[in-house]
Amino acid sequence: MSAPYLRLGVNIDHVATVRNARGGALPDPVRAALLAIEAGADGITAHLREDRRHIRDEDMARLKREISKPLNFEMAATDDMVAIALHTRPHASCLVPEKRSERTTEGGLDVVGGHDQLKIVTAELKRAGVRVSLFIEPSLDALDAARSIGAPVVELHTGSWCDAIAHGLSEKADHEFGRIRVAAARAQELGIECHAGHGLDFDTARTIAALPQIVELNIGHFLMGEAIFVGLPAALAQMRAAMDEGRRHAG
Ligand code: PXP
């Protein structure tokens, strides 16, 4: 059986990061989302952080109104964020851990310690018709907890794997990729849809695309960095080609 289509979710947070550096309205992250969709993105991801360091409330509202592809609302599992998500009604919410002091989302959710709170938030969002995913470490314990929480989707944190590659730590990279492979297979056994993201570039996206259980990659920082040099449509086309090439080797 051939592997299912691998969707590309484009994270536009860092267009807002650049905008906020000057305090004005440009560059507009919604324009980036529309351009990404025109260039083949299957969905748009945006993270409304508690400190609003990049995406702001009005960006989320505009994304929901203006884009024609699914909106994935990344958020912490707090009462404030749940209220905004219930009001916005995105296609999906990806629940992530959040620390003010971090530069980016460091590590997956504590699905064991935070089990009860995550279960309540997941149920609330699901009742509103929002597809919930949990951003987790690629571990079997985290997957079992995700199932117990009732999450239909998990997103595996690929940061440790990508970091190991970036630092030339090939043994560690192999170990981390092994964890991702095992976790993706376990997700399928549990009937949980499997996504992946964080730190992916052309090479790592090509490699991970060969895991047939993974049906969506969410990619932001690298793509926006490439877009500075070659433009967003060209960066997306190259990412799509890398994913398709990797997918041809799925099995
Ligand atoms: N998925 C999740 C849940 C994230 O928190 C992030 C980072 O915002 C990404 C994917 C995208 O990571 P990157 O910007 O490194 O591609």
Side-chain angles (χ1 to χ4, degrees):
M1 216 174 66
S2 67
Y5 175 72
L6 179 59
R7 298 189 299 265
L8 171 58
V10 174
N11 182 314
I12 50 139
D13 291 349
H14 296 302
V15 180
T17 304
V18 176
R19 174 195 61 191
N20 297 356
R22 275 295 171 98
L26 301 176
D28 177 11
V30 179
R31 181 177 172 199
L34 294 169
L35 185 61
I37 289 169
E38 218 178 284
D42 299 295
I44 297 297
T45 295
H47 184 178
L48 187 65
R49 280 182 165 269
E50 195 191 5
D51 61 10
R52 307 301 197 269
R53 71 173 72 155
H54 37 57
I55 294 294
R56 298 179 180 142
D57 300 54
E58 60 272 25
D59 296 324
M60 262 320 169
R62 285 184 57 219
L63 285 167
K64 168 68 183 171
R65 273 201 312 273
E66 295 183 35
I67 68 172
S68 57
K69 288 278 170 87
L71 172 62
N72 179 26
F73 185 146
E74 250 186 59
M75 54 183 262
T78 62
D79 291 347
D80 283 355
M81 283 300 153
V82 171
I84 296 170
L86 292 177
H87 181 71
T88 309
R89 301 282 168 129
H91 169 78
S93 279
C94 180
L95 302 180
V96 300
E98 211 174 283
K99 293 193 230 75
R100 270 179 189 264
S101 57
E102 69 190 358
R103 270 198 225 153
T104 181
T105 314
E106 292 166 358
L109 284 164
D110 177 7
V111 270
V112 175
H115 178 280
D116 295 353
Q117 160 75 355
L118 288 166
K119 192 166 183 163
I120 292 166
V121 169
T122 298
E124 220 174 336
L125 291 168
K126 277 168 74 178
R127 262 197 307 279
V130 178
R131 190 200 67 188
V132 179
S133 78
L134 303 181
F135 190 44
I136 61 169
E137 287 299 315
S139 85
L140 298 182
D141 286 350
L143 276 155
D144 288 341
R147 181 158 100 146
S148 159
I149 287 165
V153 181
V154 292
E155 180 167 328
L156 302 179
H157 197 311
T158 52
S160 299
W161 172 52
C162 294
D163 280 352
I165 291 177
H167 292 104
L169 305 171
S170 61
E171 252 178 56
K172 180 162 168 47
D174 288 349
H175 171 74
E176 292 296 337
F177 191 66
R179 292 177 75 215
I180 294 169
R181 184 198 298 280
V182 168
R186 179 78 178 140
Q188 189 170 55
E189 280 165 19
L190 293 173
I192 298 177
E193 183 173 309
C194 191
H195 302 177
H198 209 282
L200 294 171
D201 60 13
F202 295 138
D203 290 338
T204 45
R206 185 184 301 106
T207 303
I208 204 169
L211 300 181
Q213 302 90 353
I214 296 179
V215 297
E216 180 173 309
L217 300 181
N218 284 301
I219 309 179
H221 187 264
F222 173 79
L223 265 179
M224 295 309 156
E226 276 300 294
I228 291 170
F229 302 108
V230 301
L232 192 52
L236 251 100
Q238 203 174 335
M239 184 57 78
R240 184 71 254 172
M243 288 164 59
D244 290 346
E245 194 193 328
R247 206 58 158 177
R248 280 196 288 280
H249 299 104

